[in-house]
Amino acid sequence: MAVKNELETRDWYKTAVFYQIWVRSFADGNGDGIGDLYGVYDKLEYLKSLGITAIWFNPLYPSPNADFGYDISDYCNIHPDYGDLEQFKKVLNKAHELGMKVIMDLVINHTSDEHPWFIESRKGGDDNPYKDYYIWRDEPNNWDSIFEGKAWEYDSVRGQYYLHLFAKKQPDLNMDNPKVREEVKNILRFWLSMGVDGFREDVINFISKREGLPNGIGFLPIIGSMHHYKDGPHIHEYLAEFRAVCDEYGAVQIGEGPMTTVNSAMKYLSGDTKSMDMMFSFDHMMADCLFTEYFHRPFSLIRLKTALSRWQYKLADKAWNSLYLENHDHPRVISRYGSEKYHRESGTALATAYMFLRGTPFIYQGQEIGMTNIKLSSIDQYVDVSSKNNYIRYHVKDPVEARLHRIHISSRDSARTPMQWDASENAGFTTGKPWFYVNPNYKAINVAAEEEDENSILNYYRKCVELRKENQVLLFGDYKEYDHKNPFVYMYERRKGKTSYFVICSFTGEPITYKLPRGFGGHTAKIMLSNYPKKRVPGEIRRMPEDGLKLAPYEALVVKMKRV
Ligand code: NOJ
């Protein structure tokens, strides 16, 4: 297929609303307690009803699950727990029929140690074609891995150390080897020729390592070595090769860029080195933590606003943002940035705060009903490799309760509990025994209950999606933040020509009087959306008060004004 016109093909992502499916916990269709593609098939109409136009699947491939799918043992197949290629094609076709695109997760920084390439590579030998598929050394350097101890593991078969930036069972591929890059291109072609619409690309900024792999420096060994593999020397060359393949199909590419700065993200997103349509930023995930959730600090709205605005301003009309608050790597956002006490109010305020930024929103399964963190009573009940290792790696001298509290607020497992569909046993996720703990709050927080309640978080997400859809100001208008130093209120404007939308969100459980920035008082505005709809009725025209806007706990509203 020839390179298609950008507008005909890729540009769909700019007006899309993505839904992210971590399949293991989404919906179990065959009763074995594990979410699968049979379950997904049955829920596609639900996604459609939410206004979703694209789906991102976390890895669906065969995997020993040392890192739940991010340790792949076969790139061109489906994990038997989730179905098979035939079932995947059924899901893909039905999604397409319903007007939803589908993107896959591309994990090429590392494979599983059970991948046949690694099994072969371990054997070494000069004429072994897989010998240099991974990064082998006689002596390790001082790097720490991100998930599990040192970044090097000795392999007794080969008699050398291999690099693993993540868990031991995730050896890093040697992307400097052209044969490895050819393998990547074959993987891309395999899925693209089946009809998938693009890829979310895992830790894509880590795939090119600095020559010689020098020792890291600094007080935090992980951070101190990161500059040796983040945005590495050949990254843009390699990504250009992959982009060329995606161009043949008009496929969308979304890069995950851990710890990427907005300036380096711009190199992936624009100019001669453009290889990605969007990048996932981590900056706004650090509003309550430093580097990983395990280094917790109190949530700061100002930090959140700083991060969001930095990306909004920098990308502006030069590149396109991805917008998210949750995914499978972060605990639930109501428990982090909102309030479990003001569950509905803060869940809807958070939705308002990010859904109207310039960019493409991603909704992670369960976010749309306001799922919250689970609190398990022992570390042994957790299954995530990074949570388990953080527990024995950091703050080890603290009392057990304090360490467990950190897990409660930081674990990735909190975002991976089974989806809460209804109030029946196991939250309607499975008729079998669920593979992981269901959050006990499922009787109150579930899809069925929220479908019935006009003012639920679920129905509010629908309203947000509806308001954005085809709205040229909210889709493409300029962004401007107001009152940055205010620690309780996030206010921004989206403007195109003479039309402006103002988004005002309170981030406190106290009622407050918010003094609107100069120039607003006395003007008339139309209420477009409100999470206190009885107090501010959508459609009503109101004068903006001169003496301050009275905001209820976590009140959020979107108003439209004509600029003079
Ligand atoms: C980022 C993924 O989102 C995460 O789940 C995974 O553990 C790491 N990359 C390693 O693949």
Side-chain angles (χ1 to χ4, degrees):
M1 207 191 309
V3 178
K4 286 199 201 160
N5 171 306
E6 177 92 353
L7 274 175
E8 262 179 61
T9 56
R10 285 211 181 94
D11 258 17
W12 61 261
Y13 71 84
K14 292 190 178 165
T15 51
V17 179
F18 272 84
Y19 192 85
Q20 183 194 343
I21 297 185
W22 199 78
V23 73
R24 201 172 184 77
S25 285
F26 185 62
D28 175 16
N30 65 3
D32 65 358
I34 299 174
D36 52 37
L37 290 169
Y38 310 103
V40 171
Y41 188 87
D42 292 339
K43 299 294 184 189
L44 290 175
E45 282 86 1
Y46 164 73
L47 300 187
K48 178 83 189 162
S49 80
L50 208 55
I52 298 303
T53 58
I55 298 168
W56 153 29
F57 280 112
N58 287 107
L60 297 171
Y61 322 102
S63 158
N65 282 336
D67 185 20
F68 289 103
Y70 285 92
D71 48 323
I72 297 171
S73 53
D74 179 356
Y75 283 93
C76 297
N77 218 329
I78 296 292
H79 195 304
D81 282 351
Y82 308 146
D84 54 20
L85 279 172
E86 280 320 298
Q87 184 58 24
F88 175 74
K89 285 180 199 160
K90 283 191 188 152
V91 168
L92 180 65
N93 291 339
K94 183 170 168 189
H96 282 165
E97 276 160 29
L98 290 170
M100 292 184 277
K101 307 275 189 193
V102 172
I103 69 164
M104 300 294 271
D105 217 305
L106 181 77
V107 187
I108 53 167
N109 179 66
H110 43 266
T111 68
S112 162
D113 64 345
E114 296 180 36
H115 193 290
W117 300 337
F118 190 72
I119 294 171
E120 285 307 310
S121 194
R122 291 177 71 194
K123 296 179 187 157
D126 284 344
D127 50 1
N128 179 348
Y130 297 97
K131 182 176 150 249
D132 296 323
Y133 266 45
Y134 295 84
I135 301 174
W136 295 97
R137 287 285 181 278
D138 291 330
E139 293 298 330
N141 65 15
N142 72 350
W143 297 359
D144 271 356
S145 81
I146 294 167
F147 283 172
E148 208 176 11
K150 288 284 165 200
W152 296 89
E153 190 67 10
Y154 184 71
D155 180 66
S156 57
V157 177
R158 174 136 165 172
Q160 281 188 305
Y161 293 84
Y162 65 85
L163 177 70
H164 63 90
L165 291 181
F166 292 89
K168 288 181 191 157
K169 282 183 72 60
Q170 293 172 295
D172 278 51
L173 280 164
N174 174 15
M175 207 50 74
D176 296 332
N177 180 346
K179 283 194 261 174
V180 172
R181 302 203 297 279
E182 282 314 306
E183 300 277 11
V184 172
K185 291 177 213 167
N186 290 337
I187 297 166
L188 294 172
R189 288 199 181 94
F190 177 84
W191 293 103
L192 291 172
S193 57
M194 197 181 294
V196 311
D197 303 287
F199 299 93
R200 172 269 187 192
E201 307 191 1
D202 191 61
V203 292
I204 202 65
N205 54 341
F206 287 3
I207 63 169
S208 163
K209 278 84 181 171
R210 182 180 290 186
E211 214 173 302
L213 309 178
N215 276 338
I217 39 153
F219 76 106
L220 266 179
I222 299 178
I223 304 247
S225 55
M226 213 169 243
H227 60 289
H228 293 316
Y229 54 81
K230 188 161 74 79
D231 306 319
H234 301 289
I235 184 79
H236 297 296
E237 280 161 55
Y238 299 162
L239 292 182
E241 292 182 29
F242 306 151
R243 183 71 168 178
V245 176
C246 288
D247 278 344
E248 290 169 27
Y249 298 83
V252 162
Q253 290 178 278
I254 309 167
E256 187 214 23
M259 313 300 283
T260 198
T261 61
V262 70
N263 287 333
S264 54
M266 284 302 280
K267 301 210 177 88
Y268 295 77
L269 293 170
S270 60
D272 294 347
T273 49
K274 175 171 170 138
S275 56
M276 295 291 150
D277 301 295
M278 291 183 268
M279 288 290 275
F280 283 121
S281 148
F282 277 53
D283 288 1
H284 67 295
M285 286 289 110
M286 287 161 67
D288 67 350
C289 69
L290 181 73
F291 178 49
T292 80
E293 281 78 3
Y294 216 67
F295 294 98
H296 198 264
R297 51 190 180 181
F299 167 68
S300 148
L301 177 64
I302 295 187
R303 270 201 297 269
L304 179 71
K305 296 196 287 188
T306 304
L308 293 175
S309 289
R310 183 189 304 139
W311 283 70
Q312 290 288 307
Y313 287 131
K314 182 80 194 186
L315 272 57
D317 49 6
K318 296 187 207 75
W320 198 253
N321 265 294
S322 67
L323 312 170
Y324 76 95
L325 291 178
E326 284 190 7
N327 64 35
H328 64 293
D329 286 335
H330 303 287
R332 294 288 184 180
V333 76
I334 291 182
S335 309
R336 287 177 75 182
Y337 294 179
S339 154
E340 290 181 15
K341 179 173 166 209
Y342 290 104
H343 179 254
R344 198 196 65 79
E345 294 79 2
S346 69
T348 48
L350 283 158
T352 320
Y354 94 107
M355 291 282 289
F356 301 108
L357 294 169
R358 190 170 200 270
T360 299
F362 287 71
I363 301 171
Y364 175 62
Q365 66 190 41
Q367 178 188 334
E368 78 278 21
I369 54 168
M371 281 176 64
T372 59
N373 287 352
I374 195 166
K375 295 182 182 68
L376 300 172
S377 53
S378 148
I379 186 65
D380 300 332
Q381 293 172 292
Y382 286 83
V383 292
D384 166 39
V385 59
S386 81
S387 305
K388 283 185 167 299
N389 277 282
N390 284 344
Y391 188 80
I392 52 172
R393 189 179 206 172
Y394 305 117
H395 309 293
V396 283
K397 297 212 173 105
D398 285 2
V400 169
E401 304 78 66
R403 293 168 68 194
L404 209 51
H405 173 67
R406 282 180 191 280
I407 293 289
H408 292 159
I409 57 178
S410 75
S411 176
R412 305 196 297 179
D413 282 337
S414 272
R416 298 177 177 185
T417 60
M419 176 76 183
Q420 295 164 202
W421 292 103
D422 58 39
S424 71
E425 207 184 347
N426 302 325
F429 161 72
T430 179
T431 52
K433 183 175 178 314
W435 77 277
F436 192 52
Y437 303 93
V438 175
N439 193 315
N441 65 18
Y442 73 91
K443 293 221 159 113
I445 301 174
N446 65 66
V447 173
E450 297 200 20
E451 290 281 8
E452 298 301 309
D453 173 3
E454 199 195 326
N455 294 322
S456 63
I457 300 180
L458 176 64
N459 281 320
Y460 193 83
Y461 267 93
R462 288 198 169 106
K463 287 173 198 154
C464 292
V465 171
E466 189 56 35
L467 182 58
R468 263 187 108 254
K469 198 175 85 187
E470 290 168 22
N471 183 315
Q472 295 302 305
V473 184
L474 291 173
L475 290 172
F476 300 111
D478 295 336
Y479 168 89
K480 181 173 176 192
E481 190 197 334
Y482 289 85
D483 207 6
H484 179 70
K485 295 219 167 85
N486 190 310
F488 303 118
V489 176
Y490 182 23
M491 172 168 177
Y492 63 84
E493 175 183 16
R494 299 295 311 284
R495 175 178 188 171
K496 201 168 171 49
K498 291 210 161 98
T499 309
S500 285
Y501 283 72
F502 291 92
V503 176
I504 303 170
C505 303
S506 163
F507 273 75
T508 162
E510 302 296 323
I512 49 171
T513 301
Y514 177 53
K515 183 117 187 59
L516 287 162
R518 221 167 345 129
F520 286 86
H523 286 278
T524 51
K526 183 172 176 188
I527 313 281
M528 304 304 292
L529 190 64
S530 158
N531 66 348
Y532 280 79
K534 288 198 188 113
K535 179 176 164 200
R536 292 184 218 279
V537 183
E540 247 183 31
I541 313 269
R542 290 263 187 105
R543 268 170 74 85
M544 299 296 262
E546 274 161 279
D547 53 350
L549 190 64
K550 295 210 176 337
L551 293 174
Y554 292 97
E555 181 168 356
L557 63 151
V558 180
V559 300
K560 183 177 171 183
M561 274 169 82
K562 283 275 169 226
R563 291 289 215 152
V564 274

